Amino acid sequence: MLHPWPIAAKWVARLILVSVSAVVLVSAILSQPQRHGVFMDQMTYLLQADSIARDGDLRYTPDDRARFLKMGWGNQPNGMFLRRSGESYFYAKPAAYAMFAAPLSLFDPNRGPLILNALMWVATLLMTFQWLRRSLDPVSAALLSVVTWVLSAPIFYVFVIHLDVFLFFLLASVLHLGLSPVREQDEIPAPPHDALEPNQFVSVAHIHFWRAVLLGGCGGLLGYSRPLLLPFVVSMLLLWWVRGARRMVLVAASVTAIVFIAMTGIHLIEDGHFSAYAGERLYVGGADPFTLKAGQSLKPTGTGIFFSSSEMWARLVEKPAGFFSYLPRFFLGFFAGRRAGMFPHMTPFLLLLIAALVGLAFRGGRRALWVLAPALLYVMILFRFAPHTWQGGGTAAGSRYAAQMAPAFIYAFGWARPRWRTAMAICFVSVLFFPYFPGRQLTIPTPAVRDNFSIFQWNKYRFLPVEPELLLLNCDKYGAKIPVGTDTFIFRFSEHAPDRKAKPVISIARGETCRLGVLRLHKPGEPIRLRLWNAGEPVSGTIASGPHVSTFDLPTSASITLRPEMAEPVVMDFGRPPMYYWPLEITANGNDVASNDLSTTAPALYVELSHVDDPATTNVAPKPR
């Protein structure tokens, strides 16, 4: 007979899990995606799922477009990716996620994928709870599971029509099936205060075959949808092999290969290519492929370096020493970067990783290496082959790729046999630092938030490092990416610069500092010119770039042109033509006037950045607005 507390604890844990799961499911059902808009990958998956559900194919046809017009998104698909084969167009994204979303799309094409995401998110939550229950009491396991999946970026992807939740659900399934015991004697004892009930476990001998089939099926879908996650499947099969379950390895590996071949075969039958990324890929940005006018054409788009063997080989053999010299900065950005670091976007998972490493070092949790080793390989591959996009693009909340492998941190943590005090400490710290999570600013995938680098320049983020390799794709939407001569761009690092479409001009209030980053390709030696003018009142200030600081003093309605001395640039040479990045700060001295709200503080200084030989710029000060 069980004591009252263990029985009550189980019911409390169930109440926590059921309540949170119900909130997420209802939120997905009641969500209104048209209010937020979808574009690019999301638009592709949305219409692909609808095409599979209603036409049973991967072909983009006029019927697909006609149904799109009824969904309420607009007159044209926004940024869809297609592949042309002959006179036909096909969706240029892996089909597995859309196939699973298709049944729900029959009922509601807009909300169907979101409901699928919610269901998979709940399944992942329950799997991780079951895993943590092997060493924690029910309440601690439930609280830690909820805090981990709710107070971090993965919850954002439930409400995005993308395959991220699909991927971390598949990975959690692979790890759950692979790390569970394959023999009775491998079972980790339950906590002593929580006695096992009779017949709680089915005989292991009867579930080996089906577990191998399930792992192989999930592994095949995972490898097909994201080949970079295949090392996790290989690691689980190797673990089974070491444990002596070699027949299970053969079964799981065979099913993995069958599923992978079947999914690629679908593309081969549809359009003659094994991969959704092969062939002639096109970007549809507001044009109708079926009614192109004379002189119009769809924009070609690359297939990505992961599908270019020559590019991958060049990256591996060229300048490997230089790559390893960048790793400290890469890892610093991955763990603590403003734009995509695990802190602040995935703080609970970062704490789980730290706890797993501590357990690995001091408590003999060597089994965690079966999860941490492929995770490290995954991150290294991203750094080597996708240094400018490892966060997953401008629409990502934090790093989409880190979210896709998030279950790895939980399962590694579980091997350390944590105590309830450790679990509660992680929950407490996660809640304590939750205000640092960007929150609602990043939980609505609208164009206004898509290019959101200025959010991370708020005071509470300024102690975190900036990831310069991500600047090329992450800037504020309006007025922030300023051309400065050939292949040169200015990225605004301040929320104090208003959106001004007419001129690439940055305004600064008194007592404020505007932080800029000058990112230039190919030509590091060409100087930069700054044109400064005021709005009627005298203003002075400083211009700093690394150790170099200069001052300026503007009387009433004056304009000056300066060529500031720049610091040594950060060189980013990743196998392609190198980029050079300089920090630049411009401060307008104030008379005890400082505000974070430009609506109440008039700009005191205007700055225009330009190439020094740009004939379009003059020394005549424009009239302030």
Side-chain angles (χ1 to χ4, degrees):
M1 180 176 178
L2 296 175
H3 294 291
W5 165 241
I7 296 177
K10 287 185 177 181
W11 280 105
V12 171
R14 291 169 183 169
L15 178 62
I16 294 172
L17 294 172
V18 169
S19 300
V20 172
S21 299
V23 169
V24 173
L25 285 170
V26 171
S27 298
I29 294 172
L30 298 180
S31 62
Q32 299 181 27
Q34 293 97 333
R35 180 187 303 171
H36 310 318
V38 296
F39 37 86
M40 299 182 71
D41 288 3
Q42 295 184 62
M43 182 64 72
T44 308
Y45 286 118
L46 172 77
L47 296 185
Q48 187 181 45
D50 186 64
S51 179
I52 293 173
R54 303 182 189 279
D55 299 333
D57 59 30
L58 303 178
R59 192 187 304 264
Y60 179 67
T61 65
D63 290 340
D64 291 357
R65 183 179 180 277
R67 289 194 298 268
F68 162 80
L69 296 177
K70 298 178 181 179
M71 294 180 189
W73 299 103
N75 296 325
Q76 292 292 346
N78 186 2
M80 184 170 52
F81 292 100
L82 296 178
R83 187 171 64 248
R84 181 159 49 198
S85 181
E87 299 298 323
S88 300
Y89 295 95
F90 298 85
Y91 296 100
K93 286 292 177 182
Y97 171 67
M99 291 174 63
F100 278 81
L104 293 168
S105 295
L106 285 173
F107 298 96
D108 190 330
N110 289 329
R111 294 187 177 91
L114 303 185
I115 297 173
L116 173 68
N117 289 348
L119 292 171
M120 292 186 297
W121 184 91
V122 169
T124 306
L125 173 72
L126 297 179
M127 279 190 289
T128 55
F129 166 74
Q130 289 294 332
W131 176 253
L132 294 174
R133 273 288 290 114
R134 294 159 62 86
S135 52
L136 294 173
D137 63 272
V139 175
S140 297
L143 287 175
L144 182 57
S145 299
V146 168
V147 166
T148 299
W149 288 109
V150 172
L151 302 186
S152 60
I155 190 67
F156 164 82
Y157 296 104
V158 172
F159 305 98
V160 176
I161 303 175
H162 213 294
L163 77 168
D164 302 284
V165 179
F166 182 62
L167 292 176
F168 68 62
F169 162 73
L170 290 175
L171 179 58
S173 301
V174 167
L175 296 179
H176 198 79
L177 294 164
L179 294 175
S180 296
V182 295
R183 293 194 301 261
E184 301 269 358
Q185 57 267 34
D186 290 332
E187 181 62 58
I188 297 177
H193 63 273
D194 191 10
L196 296 178
E197 298 176 356
N199 301 321
Q200 183 169 341
F201 293 108
V202 180
S203 173
V204 177
H206 294 304
I207 63 174
H208 282 182
F209 175 78
W210 293 112
R211 181 190 299 172
V213 171
L214 286 174
L215 189 148
C218 293
L221 291 172
L222 188 68
Y224 158 77
S225 302
R226 183 71 76 211
L228 288 183
L229 293 172
L230 265 179
F232 288 97
V233 182
V234 174
S235 180
M236 294 300 98
L237 297 182
L238 289 176
L239 176 60
W240 281 6
W241 189 274
V242 171
R243 286 178 166 182
R246 298 183 178 180
R247 291 183 180 179
M248 294 174 64
V249 172
L250 296 177
V251 172
S254 299
V255 175
T256 298
I258 291 171
V259 171
F260 186 91
I261 293 172
M263 294 304 303
T264 56
I266 292 174
H267 293 284
L268 182 64
I269 294 171
E270 284 281 315
D271 59 17
H273 293 91
F274 280 104
S275 170
Y277 294 96
E280 184 185 4
R281 300 183 78 239
L282 303 168
Y283 175 80
V284 181
D288 180 6
F290 308 111
T291 59
L292 292 177
K293 300 178 181 178
Q296 276 190 322
S297 63
L298 299 180
K299 180 182 178 181
T301 183
T303 58
I305 59 172
F306 297 110
F307 303 93
S308 172
S309 57
S310 59
E311 177 101 11
M312 294 182 68
W313 177 253
R315 292 285 184 96
L316 287 171
V317 299
E318 292 179 2
K319 304 178 182 178
F323 165 69
F324 287 107
S325 69
Y326 303 140
L327 282 182
R329 189 178 76 242
F330 283 159
F331 278 108
L332 179 62
F334 186 83
F335 291 119
R338 296 187 193 182
R339 178 59 184 85
M342 292 188 68
F343 179 85
H345 301 280
M346 295 175 60
T347 305
F349 290 99
L350 178 60
L351 297 174
L352 289 169
L353 174 61
I354 294 172
L357 293 174
V358 171
L360 179 67
F362 298 104
R363 303 190 64 190
R366 290 185 297 275
R367 290 179 175 179
L369 290 174
W370 291 101
V371 180
L372 295 179
L376 176 62
L377 176 62
Y378 177 76
V379 173
M380 292 283 285
I381 292 174
L382 290 178
F383 288 165
R384 188 68 187 101
F385 297 108
H388 306 310
T389 58
W390 61 262
Q391 91 288 7
T395 59
S399 171
R400 287 200 304 112
Y401 296 137
Q404 290 167 7
M405 69 164 183
F409 303 117
I410 294 181
Y411 282 86
F413 172 77
W415 275 124
R417 299 192 179 187
R419 299 185 178 95
W420 72 270
R421 294 182 181 86
T422 304
M424 291 299 97
I426 292 175
C427 292
F428 174 77
V429 176
S430 298
V431 173
L432 181 66
F433 283 99
F434 183 67
Y436 283 89
F437 179 67
R440 182 170 173 77
Q441 286 83 11
L442 291 180
T443 55
I444 301 177
T446 63
V449 182
R450 177 181 60 184
D451 298 316
N452 44 39
F453 209 93
S454 65
I455 292 174
F456 305 103
Q457 306 316 308
W458 296 351
N459 289 330
K460 64 181 180 181
Y461 296 121
R462 287 182 177 171
F463 71 96
L464 296 174
V466 173
E467 310 99 307
E469 60 273 4
L470 300 184
L471 297 181
L472 191 60
L473 294 180
N474 293 278
C475 62
D476 296 330
K477 185 170 180 59
Y478 300 112
K481 185 177 180 182
I482 304 172
V484 186
T486 304
D487 295 328
T488 306
F489 305 96
I490 302 298
F491 288 83
R492 183 183 64 200
F493 279 8
S494 175
E495 72 276 17
H496 302 304
D499 295 336
R500 301 185 59 158
K501 300 180 183 180
K503 284 181 175 294
V505 174
I506 297 168
S507 64
I508 308 174
R510 291 186 182 276
E512 299 293 347
T513 297
C514 183
R515 292 169 174 82
L516 307 175
V518 181
L519 187 65
R520 167 175 285 157
L521 307 180
H522 313 316
K523 298 179 181 180
E526 296 180 358
I528 294 295
R529 179 167 67 180
L530 301 179
R531 205 154 53 95
L532 295 82
W533 67 94
N534 56 12
E537 297 294 331
V539 62
S540 61
T542 59
I543 301 174
S545 180
H548 306 291
V549 180
S550 58
T551 61
F552 62 86
D553 191 356
L554 286 171
T556 303
S557 300
S559 172
I560 60 173
T561 300
L562 301 173
R563 298 181 187 178
E565 188 173 1
M566 306 295 284
E568 288 296 321
V570 175
V571 182
M572 295 177 287
D573 185 359
F574 305 113
R576 293 179 176 180
M579 296 192 302
Y580 302 86
Y581 165 77
W582 292 264
L584 186 63
E585 295 186 359
I586 306 174
T587 301
N589 295 333
N591 48 357
D592 298 327
V593 177
S595 173
N596 291 331
D597 186 359
L598 280 180
S599 63
T600 58
T601 303
L605 178 68
Y606 294 91
V607 182
E608 185 180 58
L609 299 95
S610 63
H611 188 270
V612 72
D613 296 324
D614 186 354
T617 59
T618 67
N619 289 326
V620 179
K623 295 180 180 180
R625 299 185 174 188

